[in-house]
Amino acid sequence: FISLFFSLHPAHVEAVSWISGRTDLLSAFFIFSAGLLFHLYLEKEKKAYYLFSLVCFSLALLSKENSVLFPLAAVFLINAQMKGEGIRGKNYLLILPLVAIDIGYLILHRAFTGMQNMLENFSFTDILLIIKTAGVYTKIIFTPFFPAPYYSMQQFELYSGQYYAYFIIGMLLMVL
């Protein structure tokens, strides 16, 4: 249902209308592949599935940085797979290589990009900007009356309350 909704909905057109949007498509492909392979490993316990899951996760990281959250998704996959069977610690050890890949990626990324410590320059305005951006996209999902290939965040006022309300609505819907 969600795939059908977003195939018809114009909320995130930059993934296909911009050449720079290819990172979203590549990242999604590799993350979904890693998740599927991880799930298959949990079901069938064939090491090849797990190794290819690690490879797909690494390729997703090289595609786009938001893939660093995959170890968290893997924890949810493990919990869903166990279905109340009790905690089996060996399954949670599967997360350690994923976290090691994450840490290695972040170290290499910082070394090669010269990225400074993000927390040094992080401010309250940045938090408001993150919330506003999530609110803008939530509004676009529910009211796609003027689709555009690009939504500049400068066109939306930072202190407009409607985007914060949409952010809260979006968070409530995700929780539900």
Side-chain angles (χ1 to χ4, degrees):
F1 173 75
I2 296 296
S3 297
L4 179 63
F5 177 73
F6 276 103
S7 69
L8 299 173
H9 196 284
H12 196 60
V13 296
E14 35 309 330
V16 292
S17 65
W18 284 15
I19 192 67
S20 64
R22 76 186 183 287
T23 59
D24 294 331
L25 297 174
L26 282 171
S27 173
F29 172 76
F30 288 124
I31 281 295
F32 290 139
S33 297
L36 176 64
L37 290 165
F38 192 81
H39 173 71
L40 288 173
Y41 172 77
L42 292 173
E43 278 187 351
K44 300 180 182 183
E45 294 190 10
K46 290 186 179 179
K47 290 185 182 185
Y49 288 133
Y50 183 66
L51 293 175
F52 283 120
S53 175
L54 293 176
V55 169
C56 285
F57 172 54
S58 300
L59 292 172
L61 275 174
L62 294 174
S63 300
K64 193 165 184 180
E65 294 155 344
N66 63 354
S67 302
V68 297
L69 296 177
F70 180 69
L72 183 62
V75 169
F76 289 116
L77 282 171
I78 290 170
N79 286 335
Q81 187 75 22
M82 290 191 310
K83 297 177 188 165
E85 297 173 10
I87 295 175
R88 292 185 296 185
K90 70 173 188 160
N91 283 346
Y92 288 105
L93 291 177
L94 296 171
I95 304 301
L96 293 178
L98 296 171
V99 172
I101 291 171
D102 260 353
I103 292 170
Y105 171 78
L106 293 172
I107 289 169
L108 289 174
H109 186 270
R110 184 172 181 173
F112 288 111
T113 62
M115 186 177 84
Q116 55 184 306
N117 186 356
M118 292 188 317
L119 295 178
E120 286 178 8
N121 299 322
F122 200 71
S123 68
F124 181 70
T125 305
D126 294 328
I127 294 170
L128 290 178
L129 184 62
I130 291 167
I131 293 172
K132 179 191 82 166
T133 303
V136 166
Y137 276 103
T138 303
K139 179 182 180 192
I140 291 168
I141 287 171
F142 290 115
T143 58
F145 302 120
F146 301 103
Y150 174 70
Y151 296 100
S152 171
M153 288 301 123
Q154 282 77 27
Q155 74 190 38
F156 304 103
E157 292 182 36
L158 181 62
Y159 297 105
S160 176
Q162 69 172 324
Y163 304 116
Y164 301 107
Y166 276 108
F167 172 77
I168 291 169
I169 290 168
M171 292 297 111
L172 288 173
L173 286 174
M174 285 196 315
V175 168
L176 291 175

